[in-house]
Amino acid sequence: MLKGTGASEGIGIGTIMLIEEVSLDYTPTKVEDPEQEILRFQEAVQKFIHETEAQAEALKASAGEKEAEIMLGHVSMIQDPYMTGEAERLIREGQCAEAAFESVSDMFINMFANVEDEMMRQRAADIRDIKSGLLAVLLGVKEVKVSDAPAGTVLLAKELTPSVTAGINKDNIVGIITETGGKTSHSAILARALEIPAVLSVENATGILKNGDFVIVDGSKGDVISDPDGETVKEYTEKREKFLQERRELEQYRGKKTVNANGTEYELVCNIGKPQDAEKVVAGDGEGVGLFRTEFLFMDRDAMPTEEEQFEAYKKAALILKGKPLIIRTLDIGGDKEIPYMGLAKEENPFMGFRAIRYCLKNRDLFKTQLRAILRASAFGDIKIMFPLITCLEELREGKALVEEVKNELRLSSVSEFNENIDVGVMIETASAAVIADVLAPEADFFSIGTNDLTGYTMSCDRGNADVAYLYSVLQPGVLRLIRRTIQCGRENGIPVGMCGEAAANPQLIPLLISFGLTEFSVSAPSVLKVRKCISKWSKTEADKIAEKVMAMKTEEEIAAYLETIV
């Protein structure tokens, strides 16, 4: 059995089709006629755009309009004046079109590839896909087509790009296996939209499996079983039927309130990274947005987004949500992200360095520009402001003072429409913030627990480091105690407490969170119905009994083993 990341749930049983990478090798040449080479480059860009738009149309028919936007995003990226302008500049300096575009693409790839946020790392994968696509056009290489794959096919690739995924006939593809990618990668998003089971990040999958192998893909658990015997096939066929039945039953929770077995209501909202993601929230029956990561507005460009650009982005999300809450996290960026125009210095330990609220408070013009845009957008919806990486009360107070300063500036300007009483909250993602939650709560309008970073900071471990990844678990007693304390302090001070980390959608954690008193769950849009169903199963009394047992346990192993038995 091979292990990977279960990125699209369900069971697929079928035969491997290996998607082999085409060769895009070339020999860089010195260009004698730069203007002619620029014309060749521009013609290749136009051909790439035409082919990508055709792929988007195919994807719209098979997966839906929202998913087709992934391909249209590739069109937007390659039309970016900075990307094409830089390539043309290098061509004028004598580089061939292939080398020039590869150089520019690699700069952007390096900018995004090494950041911690998986959604941002996805940008690197997008640009790699664009680079391969345009190089294929320039070199006259035909890219892989999967549209002719026969029924019962399991696709196997090192990396399944959106451009390849766009050609999938979902009636014939029963599973997907890759060596790269995570749950938020576009391969995963498209696989979920097409309802195809997928297991990503399977180490050396293309070396172990081969064309024609018969396999089972368990996208729920992240397992790939090669050459299964008859009994195993029967077992997984039954699992597949059960899974499909449960998926059909989830639809009964669409349009319903999110309540536990006692009828207590909760807010079930979603995490987004771009304004257009709000459309997925509405389509997924989310009740608002609990985390809008604004970093995307600042990346993949050569200059700071203007106040007007930010205002339009926040306004767009608010209008899509039609009055549902929208929590906007202020810029969370640091030395781990290469953004040339921001002048971020390389740091020995960027995750504990000059980042997030620390950077913003020292760069007040940038911060005030963002706050002005958010406040202006607050006239169009139920917008709230959230500060990231708060570690002490002084940071919260200084941030709130700047909000008031910006309000005063707006009152004196021609802009008078904004929410005078906009909520300002704190993202609890450091151990310090959780420990002083009783100090922060009286001066915050809400808390939102970011369990991903809270776990990493509390356990002093990098989940990307294989040697210490065993420590990275939200079920560690230390992490659970900080979560409980944060919620308790919030309740005692009469402010709502949400959770926007991965744990908010974890069925094993939900009874604990109900017992602790969490009021808001912020999850991915595809998880909404499943989380709503899970919350509905638990009464406060049942949840309290489970929490009492768990909080008396001393090890993560003990807690994990117990929670496995209750779900």
Side-chain angles (χ1 to χ4, degrees):
M1 180 187 291
L2 305 180
K3 293 290 293 183
T5 298
S8 180
E9 293 185 321
I11 306 292
I13 303 172
T15 304
I16 291 284
M17 173 181 170
L18 176 62
I19 301 174
E20 298 187 64
E21 295 178 339
V22 296
S23 174
L24 296 174
D25 292 338
Y26 64 92
T27 302
T29 57
K30 178 76 173 175
V31 172
E32 299 298 331
D33 186 348
E35 293 307 314
Q36 187 61 35
E37 187 70 358
I38 286 174
L39 180 61
R40 184 171 83 91
F41 170 70
Q42 291 173 341
E43 288 174 348
V45 168
Q46 289 307 308
K47 184 176 181 182
F48 172 87
I49 290 171
H50 176 74
E51 291 177 351
T52 305
E53 287 175 339
Q55 290 171 335
E57 282 301 310
L59 199 55
K60 185 187 296 184
S62 62
E65 192 164 341
K66 308 282 191 308
E67 285 65 36
E69 289 176 2
I70 292 173
M71 297 307 304
L72 294 177
H74 287 192
V75 173
S76 298
M77 286 184 199
I78 204 168
Q79 288 177 325
D80 183 281
Y82 182 72
M83 178 173 267
T84 54
E86 275 296 290
E88 290 176 10
R89 181 184 67 78
L90 293 174
I91 292 171
R92 286 193 176 91
E93 291 179 359
Q95 293 190 28
C96 64
E98 290 86 349
F101 189 71
E102 185 167 29
S103 176
V104 174
S105 298
D106 287 347
M107 179 190 72
F108 280 111
I109 290 167
N110 291 333
M111 180 189 297
F112 292 110
N114 297 316
V115 300
E116 183 184 27
D117 191 299
E118 190 175 342
M119 292 184 71
M120 291 190 180
R121 288 201 301 271
Q122 177 56 44
R123 284 293 182 95
D126 285 334
I127 297 170
R128 278 196 296 270
D129 196 12
I130 293 167
K131 180 177 81 170
S132 298
L134 190 66
L135 286 178
V137 173
L138 287 166
L139 297 168
V141 174
K142 294 293 183 183
E143 291 200 279
V144 177
K145 302 292 183 185
V146 299
S147 54
D148 298 329
T153 294
V154 173
L155 294 179
L156 169 64
K158 286 191 174 180
E159 180 176 29
L160 195 63
T161 62
S163 58
V164 173
T165 313
I168 286 177
N169 178 344
K170 63 180 180 181
D171 293 328
N172 292 345
I173 306 301
V174 298
I176 294 170
I177 306 167
T178 71
E179 292 185 354
T180 62
K183 289 185 178 181
T184 60
S185 69
H186 282 162
S187 297
I189 292 169
L190 292 172
R192 288 194 292 268
L194 293 165
E195 298 185 348
I196 298 173
V199 179
L200 311 185
S201 292
V202 180
E203 187 175 353
N204 195 31
T206 59
I208 298 169
L209 304 171
K210 60 183 185 299
N211 257 328
D213 281 357
F214 185 64
V215 297
I216 294 172
V217 179
D218 186 340
S220 303
K221 291 191 173 180
D223 295 337
V224 176
I225 303 169
S226 178
D227 194 24
D229 57 30
E231 192 61 35
T232 303
V233 172
K234 180 183 176 184
E235 175 191 345
Y236 276 86
T237 300
E238 291 172 355
K239 283 184 178 181
R240 180 176 60 189
E241 292 309 310
K242 181 181 178 184
F243 170 80
L244 293 173
Q245 179 61 29
E246 289 175 348
R247 177 185 280 173
R248 288 189 288 268
E249 290 174 354
L250 275 182
E251 284 302 311
Q252 68 182 287
Y253 291 91
R254 187 175 297 277
K256 301 287 180 65
K257 291 181 177 180
T258 303
V259 295
N260 69 7
N262 301 114
T264 302
E265 286 190 34
Y266 299 86
E267 270 197 316
L268 182 51
V269 292
C270 300
N271 306 323
I272 66 172
K274 301 185 290 292
Q276 55 267 38
D277 288 346
E279 294 174 353
K280 298 176 184 176
V281 175
V282 175
D285 206 33
E287 298 164 20
V289 168
L291 170 63
F292 183 170
R293 303 177 180 93
T294 58
E295 294 75 58
F296 282 109
L297 301 177
F298 290 75
M299 302 183 78
D300 197 15
R301 53 187 297 138
D302 63 342
M304 198 79 70
T306 64
E307 178 183 330
E308 203 62 29
E309 286 174 317
Q310 292 188 63
F311 163 68
E312 289 296 337
Y314 307 143
K315 174 185 172 183
K316 179 178 180 179
L319 291 175
I320 291 169
L321 292 171
K322 296 180 179 177
K324 294 178 178 177
L326 170 61
I327 297 178
I328 298 177
R329 182 177 71 184
T330 58
L331 183 61
D332 184 2
I333 213 153
D336 57 312
K337 302 175 179 70
E338 293 184 23
I339 303 179
Y341 69 81
M342 292 187 77
L344 295 164
K346 285 286 186 184
E347 297 179 288
E348 286 294 321
N349 191 346
F351 298 107
M352 293 189 181
F354 189 47
R355 60 181 302 112
I357 193 67
R358 303 167 181 181
Y359 178 88
C360 289
L361 292 175
K362 295 293 184 183
N363 291 271
R364 293 191 168 214
D365 289 344
L366 173 152
F367 196 25
K368 287 175 68 176
T369 297
Q370 182 175 38
L371 293 175
R372 271 195 303 273
I374 295 173
L375 281 165
R376 288 173 57 200
S378 70
F380 298 89
D382 183 14
I383 288 177
K384 309 174 198 295
I385 298 171
M386 179 162 67
F387 297 143
L389 205 73
I390 292 292
T391 56
C392 59
L393 183 60
E394 291 89 339
E395 290 168 336
L396 173 58
R397 285 177 172 172
E398 194 173 347
K400 288 179 67 177
L402 277 180
V403 172
E404 293 304 315
E405 189 176 312
V406 171
K407 284 182 185 178
N408 286 329
E409 291 173 0
L410 289 175
R411 292 186 193 105
L412 295 172
S413 72
S414 58
V415 178
S416 58
E417 291 188 26
F418 61 89
N419 182 3
E420 290 274 3
N421 299 309
I422 193 167
D423 284 348
V424 178
V426 173
M427 192 165 180
I428 304 293
E429 55 189 325
T430 67
S432 174
V435 170
I436 63 164
D438 59 323
V439 174
L440 296 172
E443 300 191 30
D445 293 312
F446 64 89
F447 284 159
S448 184
I449 304 170
T451 51
N452 298 356
D453 280 338
L454 181 61
T455 302
Y457 284 125
T458 301
M459 298 307 298
S460 301
C461 70
D462 175 3
R463 61 175 166 172
N465 183 334
D467 291 328
V468 297
Y470 70 96
L471 290 169
Y472 185 89
S473 170
V474 71
L475 300 181
Q476 289 284 357
V479 179
L480 289 178
R481 278 160 174 72
L482 290 181
I483 291 172
R484 182 178 63 177
R485 172 175 174 74
T486 299
I487 297 170
Q488 181 181 6
C489 292
R491 288 173 63 83
E492 288 174 354
N493 285 274
I495 64 171
V497 182
M499 179 176 286
C500 55
E502 291 177 7
N506 185 337
Q508 295 180 357
L509 264 293
I510 285 174
L512 295 184
L513 299 177
I514 289 173
S515 175
F516 295 165
L518 195 76
T519 55
E520 177 208 85
F521 294 76
S522 192
V523 302
S524 66
S527 300
V528 167
L529 297 183
K530 185 183 296 184
V531 172
R532 185 172 290 150
K533 176 185 177 181
C534 188
I535 290 173
S536 73
K537 289 165 39 179
W538 296 103
S539 70
K540 181 67 163 58
T541 300
E542 292 170 323
D544 285 343
K545 288 178 182 176
I546 290 168
E548 185 179 359
K549 288 183 180 179
V550 166
M551 300 310 286
M553 294 176 181
K554 298 178 181 179
T555 67
E556 187 271 347
E557 184 179 17
E558 187 182 6
I559 292 169
Y562 169 64
L563 290 178
E564 279 279 349
T565 68
I566 68 160
V567 176

